[in-house]
């Protein structure tokens, strides 16, 4: 469908420039991660990953993601259902609000929780009096992560479900299906790939988030350091191989996400929202 | 696939016919879905945000002002916004180039290259941060090259700029690409038959058509750049007054338990970002209207 | 076809009663006090231009819209009190609304499989029913396909089979042929009528195509701006359009101003007896361009100046002027009186004119 444009000489030049830009700017950093991680050999690479701190960081990262991602997936489906299947006033304001976390600095997304629950936060005294920890604890990490990743699933589902309209659901109801059956058997199958796509992106961000969690974590080694924070700790200790080894784990996660995401775009283009179709 | 078009059910019914605040629908679940959505937004976005909006004023208006014009804070805000703006502007031609190549030329591996564009989205920022630092530090492969010609890349504002270039590129590519894809080839061909040169076709036909998308891509890259933390913090060097970014100052103020000061900086960032986005939106509406006329 | 008028005295035959239904959107009324009835097993067309409220009315019947006022009864039962899923209406949506992730067979079976366990037929019975419906809509071999693999006409038939699967008390069709091309449309039209006669379900369908409505329906209800303008058998509405709008909407029309005075209709220099009950004073005369008789210049009728002919087969189109108005009339070549040629004067007499107050 693509017809090469008639630009004698220009095409190879443009292609070379593009590859140079992408190579230097984007691919090179990825390569450096693995090169640095393996620079002292395989044992030096694997060793830091076996340390208790590293394992604890991996476990914490998985825990935080395992809590945040489902929460935002449910939110995304709820929000998309309300926004795409019903007409009500203030809809665009609602969409803007859902998008808001995208335009907030991650550090601010962490800061706001400290303002609420930190020692001098609005609820700080009460929390201390009742011996509840949010900041410098897993709860704080989850809250920060949930805020940062809030829009991901909703943003994938809203345009797709708006595209699909409510005709199929209406048809199901006229055929005698109840509300839950209609959602389960009509809506959900229609959005499953987009939902997966959103969850994938949400998860990648949840596991890789750095700024927001670094503000609420207090970086207590082995307790509140997620994998990205663990990288920082090692890096600041001048343990570069360790830092890059940990980074290589996250980079692999990023690559897997990228591959899965691309596969979804190729295989299920029609079932993702229009702007995801290649 | 494309031919199996789905039209919204109310397509031929008048829209904007909401009486009360919600239009009647037979679909169930609105109270649950809406209630859930609003509660979650309230809890996760609005409540925390209200703290950000209210807490700076504990310092009084004068105190907030003093915080923001403090040389260290002012320098950090200038660097964050300046570097983000510069990186976004440089990303405009770079992103356009990449998008153009990906949509207009067929070459082996095109789809893989296309997928790689999203790498900065997928790579955790801390990973990007230490990788970029390794590349651009004085003994890194590119850092050494630049050092030879007397440019200090890592641990300087240049490093901040490079990190934001990395972060921002996919925003520009991904907003421009679909527009280039959908661009009516006949219009270009018409320009061709009318004797326009390649450059003229680009300048008078292609560029005006992609301008709104380009602008929105640039503004997205800018907004992301202003708040970026993880990929910048390692390469910046974080020298007060020189290479300290605004988000880092928030962290520092928090470490000093200066909650109000941290909130003041955070609020200032949010307000300036939002102001910029609004201005860009207005410009975009203007461009789009002109493009349609 | 069956042109029997409804016998209003035997209410047991009435299936559907719509009384004073109104529905307003914020800017304009979509339905304004619409009342009509349909007899059991009747095939009723809702005909009107876009924005006439016909689709809204159909959606009210299906339960997809809630009217602001009025009553809808079906078989004597208050239909508005029933939620959509309990009405058991078979609705065929304009764009079919097939479940895109289900096969054709799964689509058809859906209405049966979602029944509560106590009312759900056994699996084998469902399969059986699906097979029968597939045969009925002549798609026997396509049960395993997905909607995206079907042509428009095939999708339409799947939608119909799906609606019929729940043994609906009433069948509702929204522009059933709207998305199809002319050839397929004509074939499906005949087929649908046969299907209706066979299934014996009260059917209401919405269309903006007057030919379709007149050809297919037992009775036609014509709507305009949310109001019911006229209802009757195709012959009734075609022969006696209640308003100029109906006349215009049902086919090509010519209009020309005139005067009715003491029982005489005068148009240009032609006078004739006005039909009984015609309005007096300034009127407009409506007639179909192919329901005319010609006469020589000294005969009876409206004076016309012939400007051109176009012949296609046995049909002739005559471009002419009557007074200062241009008309295109139709007739068979053999009906033209001798001597009528380009530039000549002649007379034309509308055969079945309608007179409306101007």
């Amino acid at each position: 469908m693509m017809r090469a444009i008639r630009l004698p000489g220009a095409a190879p030049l443009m292609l070379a420039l593009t590859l140079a830009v992408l190579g230097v700017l984007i691919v090179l950093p990825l390569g450096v991660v693995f090169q640095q991680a393996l620079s002292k050999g395989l044992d030096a690479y694997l060793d830091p990953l076996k340390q208790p701190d590293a394992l604890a960081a991996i476990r914490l990262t998985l825990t935080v993601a395992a809590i945040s991602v489902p929460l935002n997936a449910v939110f995304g489906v709820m929000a998309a259902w309300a926004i795409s299947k019903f007409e009500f006033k203030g809809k665009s304001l609602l969409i803007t609000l859902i998008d808001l976390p995208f335009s907030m600095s991650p550090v601010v997304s962490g800061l706001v929780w400290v303002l609420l629950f930190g020692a001098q936060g609005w609820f700080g005294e009460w929390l201390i009096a009742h011996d509840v920890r949010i900041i410098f604890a897993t709860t704080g990490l989850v809250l920060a992560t949930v805020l940062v990743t809030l829009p991901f699933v909703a943003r994938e589902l809203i345009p797709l479900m708006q595209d699909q309209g409510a005709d199929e659901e209406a048809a199901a109801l006229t055929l005698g299906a109840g509300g839950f059956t209609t959602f389960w058997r009509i809506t959900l199958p229609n959005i499953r790939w987009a939902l997966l796509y959103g969850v994938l992106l949400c998860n990648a961000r949840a596991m890789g988030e750095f700024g927001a969690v670094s503000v609420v974590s207090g970086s207590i080694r082995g307790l509140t350091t997620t994998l990205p924070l663990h990288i920082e700790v090692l890096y600041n200790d001048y343990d570069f191989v360790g830092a890059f080894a940990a980074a290589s784990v996250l980079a692999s996660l990023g690559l897997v996400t990228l591959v899965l995401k691309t596969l979804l775009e190729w295989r299920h283009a029609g079932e993702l929202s229009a702007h995801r179709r290649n | 696939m494309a031919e199996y078009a789905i039209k919204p059910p109310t397509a031929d019914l008048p829209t904007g016919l909401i009486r009360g605040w919600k239009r009647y629908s037979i679909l169930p679940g609105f109270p649950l879905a809406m209630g859930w959505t609003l509660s979650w937004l309230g809890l996760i976005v609005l409540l925390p945000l209200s703290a950000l909006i209210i807490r700076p004023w504990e310092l009084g208006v004068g105190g907030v002002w003093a915080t923001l014009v403090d040389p260290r804070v002012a320098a950090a805000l200038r660097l964050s916004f300046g570097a983000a703006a510069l990186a976004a502007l440089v990303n405009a031609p770079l992103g356009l180039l990449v998008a153009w190549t990906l949509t207009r030329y067929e070459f082996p591996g095109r789809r893989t290259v296309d997928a790689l564009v999203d790498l900065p989205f997928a790579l955790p920022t801390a990973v990007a941060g230490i990788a970029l630092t390794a590349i651009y530090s004085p003994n890194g492969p590119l850092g050494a090259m630049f050092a030879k010609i007397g440019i200090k890349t890592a641990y300087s504002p240049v490093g901040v700029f490079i990190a934001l270039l990395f972060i921002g590129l996919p925003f520009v590519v991904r907003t421009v690409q679909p527009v280039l894809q959908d661009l009516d080839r006949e219009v270009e061909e018409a320009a061709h038959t009318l004797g326009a040169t390649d450059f003229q076709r680009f300048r008078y036909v292609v560029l005006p058509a992609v301008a709104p998308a380009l602008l929105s891509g640039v503004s997205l890259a800018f907004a992301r750049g202003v708040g970026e933390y993880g990929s910048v913090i390692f390469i910046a060097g974080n020298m007060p007054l020189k290479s300290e970014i605004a988000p880092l100052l928030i962290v520092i103020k928090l470490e000093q338990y200066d909650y109000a000061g941290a909130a003041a900086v955070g609020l200032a960032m949010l307000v300036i970002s939002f102001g910029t986005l609004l201005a860009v939106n207005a410009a975009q509406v203007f461009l789009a209207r002109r493009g349609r006329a | 076809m069956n042109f029997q008028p409804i016998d209003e005295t035997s209410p047991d035959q009435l299936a559907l009663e719509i009384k004073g239904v109104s529905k307003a959107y914020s800017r304009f009324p979509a339905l304004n006090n619409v009342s009509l009835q349909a007899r059991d097993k009747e095939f009723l067309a809702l005909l009107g231009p876009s924005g006439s409220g016909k689709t809204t009315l159909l959606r009210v019947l299906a339960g997809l819209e809630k009217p602001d006022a009025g009553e809808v009864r079906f078989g004597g039962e208050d239909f508005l009190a029933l939620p959509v899923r309990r009405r058991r209406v078979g609705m065929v949506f304009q764009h079919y609304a097939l479940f895109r992730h289900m096969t054709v067979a799964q689509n058809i079976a859906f209405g049966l499989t979602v029944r509560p366990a106590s009312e759900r037929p056994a699996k084998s019975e469902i399969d059986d029913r699906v097979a029968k419906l597939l045969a009925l809509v002549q798609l026997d071999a396509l049960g395993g396909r997905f909607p995206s693999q079907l042509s428009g006409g095939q999708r339409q038939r799947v939608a119909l089979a799906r609606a019929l699967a729940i043994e609906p008390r009433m069948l509702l069709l929204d522009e059933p042929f709207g998305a199809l091309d002319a050839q397929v449309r004509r074939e499906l039209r005949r087929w649908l009528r046969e299907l209706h006669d066979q299934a014996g379900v009260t059917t209401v369908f919405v269309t903006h195509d007057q030919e379709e409505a007149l050809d297919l329906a037992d009775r036609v209800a014509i709507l305009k701006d949310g109001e019911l303008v006229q209802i009757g058998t195709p012959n009734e509405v075609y022969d006696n359009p209640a308003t100029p709008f109906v006349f215009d909407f049902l086919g090509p029309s010519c209009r020309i101003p005139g005067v009715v005075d003491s029982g005489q209709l005068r148009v240009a220099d032609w006078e004739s007896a006005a039909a009984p009950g015609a309005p007096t004073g300034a009127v407009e005369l409506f007639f179909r361009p192919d329901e005319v008789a010609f006469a020589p210049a000294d005969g009876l009728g409206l004076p016309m100046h012939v400007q051109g002919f176009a012949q296609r087969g046995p049909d002739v189109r005559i471009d002419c002027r009557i007074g200062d108005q241009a008309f295109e009339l139709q007739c068979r070549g053999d009906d033209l009186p001798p001597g009528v040629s380009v530039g000549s004067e002649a007379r034309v007499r509308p055969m079945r004119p309608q007179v409306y107050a101007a």
Side-chain angles (χ1 to χ4, degrees):
Chain A
M1 92 194 181
M2 214 75 62
R3 234 168 337 125
I5 203 161
R6 206 184 53 80
L7 274 183
L13 177 70
M14 301 283 264
L15 183 55
L17 278 174
T18 297
L19 293 181
V21 168
L22 292 179
V24 172
L25 211 54
I26 287 177
V27 179
L28 184 63
L30 181 70
V32 163
V33 172
F34 291 98
Q35 180 251 324
Q36 292 280 325
L38 292 163
S39 60
K40 302 262 162 62
L42 198 61
D43 287 340
Y45 169 67
L46 289 176
D47 184 55
L49 295 177
K50 292 182 200 147
Q51 298 301 314
D53 284 356
L55 292 175
I58 290 174
R59 213 174 306 126
L60 183 60
T61 301
L62 293 175
T63 308
V64 169
I67 300 171
S68 323
V69 174
L71 284 175
N72 275 337
V74 172
F75 165 77
V77 172
M78 290 284 185
W81 179 266
I83 287 171
S84 63
K85 305 286 180 189
F86 299 89
E87 288 304 322
F88 55 89
K89 282 179 185 163
K91 190 186 272 192
S92 55
L93 178 69
L94 189 62
I95 295 178
T96 310
L97 270 180
I98 292 174
D99 272 341
L100 190 65
F102 272 163
S103 49
M104 282 164 67
S105 169
V107 169
V108 173
S109 301
L111 163 71
V112 289
W113 297 109
V114 179
L115 297 179
L116 287 179
F117 302 125
Q120 296 169 36
W122 278 350
F123 306 107
E125 264 176 50
W126 189 90
L127 291 174
I128 291 169
H130 291 78
D131 203 23
V132 181
R133 284 208 134 202
I134 291 182
I135 300 305
F136 303 154
T138 310
T139 317
L141 298 174
V142 169
L143 285 174
T145 306
V146 166
L147 172 53
V148 168
T149 59
L150 179 116
F152 279 95
V153 176
R155 280 320 280 161
E156 289 309 317
L157 294 185
I158 291 169
L160 176 72
M161 287 168 70
Q162 278 178 331
D163 244 29
Q164 291 179 341
D167 255 12
E168 284 181 50
E169 282 82 3
L173 291 173
T174 64
L175 292 170
F180 182 75
T181 310
T182 301
F183 174 77
W184 191 252
R185 294 194 45 188
I186 305 300
T187 311
L188 210 52
N190 275 344
I191 62 171
R192 61 194 157 176
W193 295 114
L195 181 61
L196 181 62
Y197 191 97
V199 163
L200 200 65
L201 297 188
C202 184
N203 180 63
R205 182 68 193 266
M207 290 191 176
E209 178 50 32
F210 176 73
V213 291
S214 95
V215 174
V216 293
S217 126
S219 290
I220 307 165
R221 269 191 163 200
L223 269 184
T224 63
T225 46
T226 60
L227 201 48
L229 296 173
H230 187 62
I231 296 176
E232 187 192 25
V233 171
L234 295 177
Y235 192 86
N236 289 344
D237 285 350
Y238 300 99
D239 179 0
F240 293 130
V241 171
F244 277 103
S248 74
V249 175
L250 281 178
S252 307
L253 168 78
L255 279 179
V256 170
T257 305
L258 204 60
V259 169
L260 291 178
K261 166 180 169 305
T262 309
L263 281 181
L264 279 180
E265 281 165 7
W266 292 355
R267 292 263 176 85
H268 300 286
E271 292 149 277
L272 300 177
S273 53
H275 66 285
R276 295 294 184 201
R277 290 171 200 163
N278 266 350
Chain B
M1 173 63 233
E3 149 219 36
Y4 184 36
I6 304 108
K7 252 180 96 184
T10 49
D12 49 358
L13 293 175
T15 53
L17 33 78
I18 306 157
R19 302 205 305 162
W21 71 287
K22 178 186 166 287
R23 190 165 115 70
Y24 170 77
S25 165
I26 45 132
L27 290 188
F30 184 76
L32 172 68
M34 197 60 176
W36 190 292
T37 303
L38 291 180
S39 312
W40 195 244
L41 274 178
L43 209 67
I44 299 297
V45 179
L46 294 181
L47 173 70
L49 209 63
S50 65
L52 181 74
I53 292 169
I54 294 170
R55 292 214 56 173
W57 311 106
E58 288 165 11
L59 302 170
V61 177
V64 170
W65 182 250
T67 305
L68 296 181
V69 295
D70 168 72
R72 198 170 159 191
V73 174
L77 285 172
R78 241 192 332 267
L79 175 63
S80 274
F81 281 90
L86 193 63
L89 287 178
V90 173
N91 265 330
L94 293 184
L96 191 55
L97 167 77
V98 173
W100 177 272
T101 305
L102 289 177
T103 49
R104 292 306 168 92
Y105 309 131
E106 198 53 73
F107 54 91
R110 186 180 65 85
R111 301 227 284 183
T112 310
V113 173
D114 191 298
L116 276 176
V117 170
D118 279 339
L119 200 61
F121 285 156
L123 210 59
T125 54
V127 177
I130 62 169
L132 289 171
T133 312
I135 295 169
Y136 292 97
S137 71
N139 46 13
L142 293 180
M145 255 173 56
F146 280 110
K148 262 188 213 141
I149 53 170
I151 299 174
K152 191 177 178 203
T153 45
Y155 315 129
S156 79
V158 180
V160 177
F161 166 77
I162 290 171
L164 297 185
L165 214 53
F166 168 83
I167 286 296
L169 184 66
F171 286 95
V172 180
V173 178
R174 289 302 181 228
T175 40
V176 171
Q177 202 174 0
V179 180
L180 272 181
Q181 195 105 271
D182 294 346
L183 203 62
D184 189 355
R185 289 302 274 277
E186 282 190 5
V187 177
E188 268 178 83
E189 282 163 358
H192 210 168
T193 61
L194 294 170
T197 64
D198 288 338
F199 173 76
Q200 285 169 325
R201 265 191 298 154
F202 178 78
R203 167 67 186 81
Y204 296 108
V205 178
V206 177
L207 203 56
V210 300
L214 190 61
L215 188 61
S216 90
V218 165
S219 69
L220 285 175
F222 169 76
R224 172 72 195 264
V226 168
E228 182 55 30
Y229 182 70
S231 59
V232 179
I233 208 70
F234 296 97
I235 199 174
N238 307 328
M239 281 166 294
L241 295 170
K242 281 179 76 180
S243 61
E244 227 174 23
I245 54 169
L248 178 64
L249 237 74
I250 294 177
V251 174
I252 291 173
K253 286 194 179 293
L254 273 184
E255 278 166 3
Q256 299 161 347
Y257 291 97
D258 179 7
Y259 283 18
V265 178
L267 184 59
M269 286 174 61
L270 204 63
V271 167
I272 302 176
S273 298
F274 246 77
T276 320
L277 283 181
L278 282 182
V280 168
N281 256 341
Q284 220 180 343
V285 169
F286 171 76
L287 276 179
R289 198 172 295 151
R290 207 179 52 168
R292 233 178 291 127
Chain C
M1 249 189 261
N2 185 354
F3 294 138
Q4 268 174 274
I6 280 207
D7 182 359
E8 303 275 358
T9 54
S10 56
D12 57 327
Q13 278 209 347
L14 281 182
L16 176 68
E17 295 170 86
I18 301 169
K19 267 192 214 146
V21 164
S22 293
K23 165 119 190 124
Y25 293 136
S26 50
R27 278 168 301 161
F28 59 91
L31 288 175
N32 191 4
N33 196 17
V34 172
S35 299
L36 57 87
Q37 296 161 336
R39 209 186 35 206
D40 190 30
K41 299 190 170 80
E42 191 174 23
F43 205 152
L44 178 72
L46 302 179
L47 175 67
S50 73
S52 61
K54 57 191 191 303
T55 295
T56 307
L57 183 58
L58 193 78
R59 291 175 68 89
V60 166
L61 296 184
L64 301 172
E65 300 278 349
K66 203 162 62 177
D68 301 332
E71 253 182 83
V72 178
R73 299 191 157 273
F74 191 88
E77 196 180 0
D78 180 4
F79 225 36
L80 294 179
L82 284 179
V84 194
R85 48 181 300 222
R86 304 222 181 284
R87 291 192 189 191
R88 238 177 72 216
V89 293
M91 172 98 178
V92 175
F93 290 75
Q94 189 176 1
H95 301 277
Y96 318 132
L98 296 181
F99 307 131
R100 71 196 88 187
H101 62 279
M102 292 184 196
T103 62
V104 166
Q106 286 168 335
N107 262 283
I108 297 174
F110 183 85
L112 301 174
T113 60
V114 296
R115 288 198 184 157
S118 56
E119 299 164 31
R120 194 185 310 143
K123 173 97 179 52
S124 59
E125 200 180 319
I126 293 181
D127 292 347
D128 223 43
R129 188 97 62 90
V130 169
K132 276 194 191 120
L133 283 161
L134 279 172
L136 181 69
V137 298
Q138 299 157 15
L139 292 172
D140 313 62
L142 301 183
R145 295 248 187 120
F146 284 92
S148 57
Q149 300 167 312
L150 302 180
S151 72
Q154 289 170 332
R155 278 178 211 163
Q156 211 256 2
R157 283 183 275 157
V158 175
L160 202 58
R162 185 179 69 176
L164 288 172
I166 60 170
E167 293 173 321
R169 304 159 72 187
M170 177 165 62
L171 198 55
L172 303 175
L173 310 161
D174 189 3
E175 298 273 4
F177 312 109
L180 305 172
D181 55 45
Q183 179 65 33
V184 184
R185 193 183 286 213
R186 256 189 299 279
E187 278 168 28
L188 272 178
R189 206 192 277 172
R190 183 142 316 134
W191 174 80
L192 180 65
R193 177 70 214 194
E194 280 164 19
L195 196 73
H196 167 263
D197 294 345
Q198 221 175 310
V201 185
T202 312
T203 302
V204 181
F205 80 105
V206 154
T207 181
H208 64 268
D209 180 341
Q210 89 289 347
E211 199 190 315
E212 202 167 281
L214 296 175
D215 194 26
L216 204 50
D218 294 332
R219 286 194 308 150
V220 180
I222 297 152
L223 286 97
K224 183 193 182 224
D225 299 332
E227 298 194 19
L228 180 68
V229 189
Q230 192 176 7
I231 180 166
T233 65
N235 281 350
E236 282 167 6
V237 295
Y238 192 83
D239 291 343
N240 287 300
T243 68
F245 165 78
V246 176
F247 193 104
D248 213 37
F249 196 71
L250 290 183
S253 67
C254 302
R255 66 163 76 181
I256 189 162
V259 175
V260 173
D261 191 12
S262 47
Q264 284 296 103
L265 167 69
R266 201 167 61 243
V267 182
D269 65 355
W270 176 56
E271 268 194 43
S272 62
T280 48
V283 296
E284 280 201 305
L285 180 77
F286 278 69
F287 59 95
R288 305 274 174 217
D290 57 344
E291 296 180 341
V292 288
F294 295 93
D298 54 358
L300 283 177
L302 298 162
M304 74 173 196
H305 176 76
V306 179
Q307 294 186 304
F309 292 103
Q311 183 139 15
R312 201 178 56 190
D315 295 318
V316 180
R317 195 187 78 221
I318 305 151
D319 295 327
C320 63
R321 301 192 76 85
I322 301 175
D324 52 3
Q325 264 181 287
F327 290 92
E328 281 180 9
L329 303 176
Q330 298 277 349
C331 71
R332 307 276 295 185
D334 355 344
D335 294 345
L336 266 186
V340 174
S341 58
V342 175
S344 71
E345 305 290 331
R347 295 264 174 184
V348 58
R349 206 170 65 246
M351 312 280 283
R352 301 196 292 171
Q354 292 283 332
V355 175
Y356 303 101

